[in-house]
Amino acid sequence: MPSIKDVAELAGVGVGTVSRVINNHPAVKSETRKKVNAAIKQLNYIPNEVARNFKMQKSTMVALLLPSIWHPFFSELAYYIEDELDREGYKLMLCNSGGRPDKELYYLDMLNQNKVAGIIGITYNDIEDSVSTDIPIISLDRHLGKKITCVTSDNYTGGRIALQELVKAGATKVAYLGVTSSAYSEVLLRKSGFIDEAKIQGIEFSTYEEHDEVYADDSFFENFFNLPHHRNVNGIFANTDILAAKYIDKAKLYGLRTPEDVKVIGYDGIQDNKLFRPILSTIRQPVEEMARMSVKLLLRKIEGELLEQEIYRIPVKYRRGETT
């Protein structure tokens, strides 16, 4: 791996000059800058970001803490967060916790020690007491207290819209499906909105949830379908698109067709590719807007600005597919 000294020798300048070019120092002559950049490109030299941050006493690294990078919603979110950070001259450090609280705590401790510029995080675990405000932080979907800013979609309205659209599609007996965690998050408002709207419209409804620590696909749906009052449900709102898709698949085993026998709506809006069938009707989260807003708010906090709100809720939209 080439060093800064190798770049200096190839460009015919001193190591200090290379350092000034890397850090965009205005005193470097244009011709010298071109020579150094050409040497950097030729050697494929990558500056030591950690060392630069230490010397400059300013980090350009932002950490993104996610429960799982394989989930399409989190992957899309990470894409737009990285893109917005890049526009602003910052770099992304991805921390994939696998939803494990011990791993989240490990990452938070590591990030505090390494002094990243800020953190954008999603956690559904009870780790509030371990979250420090020494580093600027933005939370997604979750209230962590301590005046930590939260960016989320309008989950409550999303739940209400889901019920309204199921009724429009002809559903007369509906059910909410969800997987819960030990910590309160904005996701729970999807159920609240669904229930409130069902009561307003006088629609028969039920809810079925299991804790994420015991959740397993087969047992979850077996338990759901084995309950007598679920057998004639003809409208389903699942609190994620993934859960909705799994319901549709499992319902076939019980002779239920979608949407002929049961209408199904998910939440997230992750299925954009029309090659997948059936295309899921869903409450689409404004993923790009949530991601870019999170970055913009974090950078304002990094600059020492006090934000006027603790919660930023962004409107959602219903996207009709082939399952209603």
Side-chain angles (χ1 to χ4, degrees):
M1 182 179 293
S3 66
I4 191 170
K5 187 176 179 181
D6 297 327
V7 174
E9 289 178 357
L10 181 60
V13 298
V15 170
T17 300
V18 176
S19 179
R20 284 190 288 275
V21 170
I22 291 171
N23 291 304
N24 267 331
H25 198 285
V28 182
K29 294 179 181 178
S30 175
E31 186 179 340
T32 303
R33 190 181 300 276
K34 288 178 182 177
K35 286 196 298 182
V36 171
N37 284 330
I40 289 172
K41 185 175 181 180
Q42 183 178 330
L43 293 173
N44 196 25
Y45 170 69
I46 300 173
N48 186 330
E49 196 69 28
V50 174
R52 285 177 62 201
N53 289 339
F54 181 78
K55 187 173 181 179
M56 297 168 67
Q57 292 298 302
K58 180 183 178 183
S59 175
T60 58
M61 194 76 67
V62 168
L64 173 60
L65 181 62
L66 292 178
S68 176
I69 192 60
W70 72 263
H71 192 290
F73 174 74
F74 297 137
S75 297
E76 186 177 354
L77 191 73
Y79 173 85
Y80 288 118
I81 286 175
E82 190 282 331
D83 184 66
E84 188 65 24
L85 285 171
D86 183 61
R87 290 184 183 187
E88 299 291 341
Y90 283 78
K91 294 176 175 59
L92 178 72
M93 177 190 295
L94 181 62
C95 303
N96 181 46
S97 72
R100 288 167 40 194
D102 61 318
K103 201 170 180 181
E104 289 175 349
L105 294 175
Y106 162 77
Y107 275 130
L108 287 171
D109 184 57
M110 179 194 75
L111 296 172
N112 273 290
Q113 291 184 40
N114 286 277
K115 301 301 179 187
V116 292
I119 300 171
I120 298 173
I122 303 178
T123 174
Y124 299 108
N125 296 307
D126 273 322
I127 62 168
E128 287 94 330
D129 293 340
S130 301
V131 177
S132 170
T133 54
D134 292 342
I135 295 175
I137 183 169
I138 297 290
S139 174
L140 287 159
D141 269 350
R142 175 78 190 285
H143 306 282
L144 293 174
K146 303 176 182 176
K147 296 188 177 179
I148 292 173
T149 304
C150 173
V151 174
T152 184
S153 65
D154 190 347
N155 293 273
Y156 180 80
T157 299
R160 293 191 63 184
I161 292 172
L163 189 284
Q164 293 165 4
E165 294 298 335
L166 286 173
V167 172
K168 286 180 187 177
T172 54
K173 183 177 180 180
V174 297
Y176 169 90
L177 297 183
V179 180
T180 63
S181 65
S182 56
Y184 175 82
S185 78
E186 285 273 320
V187 172
L188 294 176
L189 293 177
R190 299 172 191 177
K191 180 175 73 170
S192 299
F194 178 83
I195 291 173
D196 288 351
E197 187 63 27
K199 290 177 178 177
I200 290 170
Q201 300 218 22
I203 297 295
E204 186 179 354
F205 72 93
S206 60
T207 63
Y208 184 76
E209 298 172 286
E210 287 186 9
H211 198 281
D212 58 5
E213 291 182 0
V214 299
Y215 172 82
D217 289 346
D218 291 339
S219 62
F220 179 91
F221 290 105
E222 184 178 344
N223 294 338
F224 174 81
F225 285 113
N226 282 341
L227 291 171
H229 60 281
H230 287 157
R231 289 173 188 163
N232 59 346
V233 164
N234 58 8
I236 291 288
F237 173 45
N239 72 347
T240 67
D241 283 352
I242 295 291
L243 191 60
K246 288 178 179 178
Y247 170 85
I248 292 170
D249 185 56
K250 296 294 182 182
K252 294 175 186 175
L253 302 177
Y254 293 85
L256 295 172
R257 301 164 300 164
T258 304
E260 293 86 355
D261 302 315
V262 60
K263 320 295 181 185
V264 180
I265 293 177
Y267 195 107
D268 279 337
I270 60 176
Q271 189 197 67
D272 283 330
N273 195 320
K274 293 184 179 179
L275 294 175
F276 291 98
R277 288 290 188 272
I279 297 173
L280 185 66
S281 296
T282 185
I283 305 301
R284 168 67 175 171
Q285 292 206 69
V287 186
E288 181 175 357
E289 190 176 350
M290 288 170 66
R292 297 193 188 281
M293 177 180 282
S294 298
V295 172
K296 287 181 170 67
L297 292 174
L298 181 67
L299 297 186
R300 285 167 62 184
K301 293 187 83 168
I302 289 171
E303 293 300 318
E305 185 177 338
L306 292 176
L307 302 180
E308 60 274 14
Q309 296 173 226
E310 281 191 31
I311 304 173
Y312 291 77
R313 291 191 180 95
I314 306 175
V316 296
K317 293 181 179 178
Y318 173 64
R319 189 175 70 194
R320 185 179 178 185
E322 300 170 337
T323 60
T324 46

